[in-house]
């Protein structure tokens, strides 16, 4: 293992600040404020499931507890454990899961195996501080009230924040399902976006408008026109190929810039200056890779296939009106719905994305914005 010229100084900084008495929140905010890429932004190829917008406290904890930074090999950190697939049916078998062993049972190499980023003394000092803080401020036991009924979130996984593009979290407030997007101020400042600290919207301010829109575009007398619009959007292969080629070209250019910047770093250029350049390109790569993933998910469906899909839902007006919450969620996902909530305008933009194809046609009302009450 060799030290990463960009990430190694960051690891040393985290250890240094923690030993000096800084908390996890202060360290993460400082790194984000200074424009230092978090692990998922620095290496997006290994973290395609993360957006890399800022430093989460969980990333700080992982770094502070990784013994490999001491330069030594460490074994026995995890063990395999067999877990029953069904505790009421032993015959169903087991699945193997990894579980963490206590640090006292880890096996350390006697010699240095690779160049250390922090000293063994600093690593042990950090573990001692973490243990002391846990003893001083133990987590309060969770006391949850017994739920009297199951909670359903009809828009879970399909409602996005229009400002940052992230999925909104499901939460239950005042007896109703809500959705929220929490965005630390340091993240917004570092990424140059005007994002409220917290965005809230009630589910029942969206779903009635959504059902009305669906019943309109999938009404019996409009099914043929809607299916044709879906098929036309799905078959845009030429445009798809052009967009994919452009994205790959931009990605290659970004990689070329990164190679150039790293060469400057090795040549002795100021690390802080080069880190800023690299961060800009890494953020650009995240956006390009997201576009490529979206393009790669697109598929082609014929008018007949889409018409059959719509007819399979039957009378949509009746289905949506009578469907149980779990079934209504399935209908939304079958239609590939995506909703983007704009907190400033208090509107929701709705897209039906069948087989990965966006429908964007003003003539058949496939995309529509409606105002909703509430929000922040």
């Amino acid at each position: 293992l060799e030290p990463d010229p960009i990430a190694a100084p960051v690891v040393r900084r985290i250890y240094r600040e923690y030993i000096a008495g800084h908390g996890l929140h202060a360290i993460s905010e400082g790194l984000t404020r200074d424009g230092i890429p978090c692990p998922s932004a620095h290496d997006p190829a290994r973290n395609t499931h993360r957006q890399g917008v800022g430093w989460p406290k969980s990333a700080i904890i992982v770094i502070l507890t990784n013994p490999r930074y001491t330069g030594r090999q460490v074994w026995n950190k995890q063990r395999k454990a067999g877990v029953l697939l069904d505790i009421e049916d032993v015959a169903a078998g087991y699945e193997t899961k990894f579980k963490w062993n206590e640090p006292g049972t880890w096996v350390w190499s006697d010699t240095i195996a690779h160049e250390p980023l922090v000293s063994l003394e600093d690593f042990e000092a950090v573990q001692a501080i973490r243990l002391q803080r846990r003893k001083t401020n133990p987590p309060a036991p969770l006391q949850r009230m017994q739920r009297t009924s199951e909670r359903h979130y009809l828009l879970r996984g399909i409602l996005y924040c229009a400002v940052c593009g992230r999925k909104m979290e499901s939460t239950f407030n005042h007896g109703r399902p809500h959705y929220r997007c929490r965005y630390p101020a340091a993240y917004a400042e570092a990424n140059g976006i005007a994002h409220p600290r917290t965005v809230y919207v009630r589910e029942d301010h969206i779903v009635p408008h959504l059902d009305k829109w669906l019943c309109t575009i999938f009404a019996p007398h409009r099914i043929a026109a809607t299916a044709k619009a879906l098929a036309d959007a799905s078959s845009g292969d030429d445009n798809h190929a052009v967009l994919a080629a452009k994205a790959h070209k931009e990605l290659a250019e970004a990689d070329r810039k990164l190679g150039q910047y790293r060469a400057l770093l090795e040549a002795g250029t100021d690390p802080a200056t080069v880190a800023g350049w690299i961060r800009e390109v890494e953020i650009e790569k995240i956006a390009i890779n997201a576009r490529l993933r979206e393009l790669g998910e697109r598929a082609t469906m014929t008018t007949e296939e889409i018409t059959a899909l719509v007819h399979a839902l039957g009378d949509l007006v009746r289905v949506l009106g009578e469907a149980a919450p779990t079934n209504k969620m399935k209908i939304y996902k079958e239609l590939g719905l995506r909703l983007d909530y704009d907190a400033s305008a208090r509107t929701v933009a709705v897209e039906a994305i069948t087989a990965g194809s966006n429908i964007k046609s003003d003539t058949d009302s496939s995309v529509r914005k409606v105002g909703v009450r509430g929000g922040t």
Side-chain angles (χ1 to χ4, degrees):
L1 299 177
E2 297 179 355
D4 185 309
I6 302 297
V10 179
V11 172
R12 297 189 184 101
R13 167 178 168 170
I14 291 172
Y15 274 80
R16 186 169 59 250
E17 291 185 359
Y18 193 80
I19 292 173
H22 296 201
L24 300 175
H25 186 73
I27 295 174
S28 64
E29 279 206 336
L31 293 170
T32 302
R33 184 177 56 251
D34 293 344
I36 298 174
C38 64
S40 56
H42 177 62
D43 190 3
R46 294 175 58 190
N47 300 275
T48 55
H49 59 299
R50 301 184 185 277
Q51 289 190 318
V53 295
W55 279 85
K57 289 188 288 185
S58 58
I60 306 295
I61 294 174
V62 169
I63 290 173
L64 290 174
T65 56
N66 188 351
R68 296 294 293 273
Y69 293 135
T70 64
R72 298 176 183 271
Q73 292 277 30
V74 181
W75 298 276
N76 199 43
K77 290 190 294 182
Q78 290 181 307
R79 68 184 186 279
K80 290 182 179 180
V83 180
L84 281 171
L85 292 172
D86 185 349
I87 59 174
E88 297 181 356
D89 183 10
V90 179
Y94 295 79
E95 64 175 336
T96 301
K97 291 188 175 182
F98 284 93
K99 295 184 177 294
W100 285 97
N101 293 325
E102 291 296 324
T105 64
W106 294 356
V107 179
W108 295 66
S109 64
D110 294 329
T111 58
I112 299 295
H114 49 266
E115 184 178 342
L117 302 186
V118 298
S119 66
L120 182 60
E121 292 75 15
D122 283 349
F123 181 81
E124 292 176 344
V126 164
Q127 309 319 308
I129 294 172
R130 294 189 72 247
L131 180 61
Q132 182 60 35
R133 289 183 178 178
R134 286 200 298 270
K135 289 181 178 179
T136 305
N137 301 301
L142 293 176
Q143 296 181 350
R144 295 182 176 176
M145 297 178 62
Q146 186 67 30
R147 293 180 182 172
T148 57
S149 61
E150 186 179 358
R151 292 176 180 173
H152 299 283
Y153 297 97
L154 303 181
L155 306 179
R156 174 181 286 167
I158 64 173
L159 181 62
Y160 292 76
C161 174
V163 181
C164 64
R166 300 185 303 169
K167 289 182 181 178
M168 299 185 71
E169 298 175 299
S170 307
T171 179
F172 207 79
N173 293 324
H174 305 293
R176 295 186 178 92
H178 287 65
Y179 299 88
R180 70 185 177 193
C181 180
R182 294 186 294 185
Y183 206 81
Y187 288 13
E189 182 181 351
N191 290 278
I193 60 177
H195 195 297
R197 188 172 183 85
T198 305
V199 171
Y200 274 101
V201 64
R202 269 169 53 177
E203 181 180 276
D204 59 2
H205 287 167
I206 298 177
V207 169
H209 294 292
L210 177 62
D211 289 350
K212 182 179 179 181
W213 174 73
L214 289 174
C215 293
T216 299
I217 67 170
F218 290 112
H221 67 284
R222 299 199 61 185
I223 287 180
T226 300
K228 184 178 185 304
L230 283 164
D232 291 344
S234 178
S235 62
D237 292 332
D238 293 339
N239 189 45
H240 175 279
V242 171
L243 293 175
K246 181 181 178 181
H248 281 294
K249 186 176 180 180
E250 292 175 359
L251 195 62
E253 176 62 17
D255 288 333
R256 186 193 66 79
K257 288 181 180 179
L258 286 176
Q260 187 178 31
Y261 294 159
R262 291 193 173 105
L264 289 173
L265 189 66
E266 294 174 359
T269 306
D270 179 31
T273 302
V274 178
W277 298 343
I278 290 178
R279 177 179 177 277
E280 291 179 2
V281 179
E282 293 287 9
I283 293 175
E284 182 184 342
K285 284 187 64 177
I286 292 173
I288 297 171
N289 282 319
R291 278 160 42 205
L292 282 172
R293 285 196 299 274
E294 181 183 353
L295 290 169
E297 290 171 358
R298 295 192 175 187
T300 300
M301 293 184 71
T302 64
T303 303
E304 291 75 17
E305 290 171 333
I306 295 171
T307 302
L309 172 65
V310 175
H311 279 300
L313 291 172
D315 182 355
L316 200 62
V317 177
R318 177 182 56 79
V319 170
L320 287 175
E322 300 175 358
T326 52
N327 292 332
K328 185 176 284 194
M329 292 167 62
K330 290 179 180 178
I331 293 174
Y332 290 163
K333 291 187 177 180
E334 277 292 322
L335 293 174
L337 297 184
R338 174 183 172 123
L339 289 74
D340 289 273
Y341 175 57
D342 186 340
S344 60
R346 294 184 179 180
T347 61
V348 175
V350 187
E351 295 183 20
I353 310 171
T354 303
S357 300
N358 294 348
I359 316 167
K360 295 186 178 179
S361 171
D362 295 332
T363 56
D364 69 348
S365 302
S366 296
V367 173
R368 181 181 178 187
K369 286 190 177 182
V370 295
V372 297
R373 294 176 293 166
T376 302

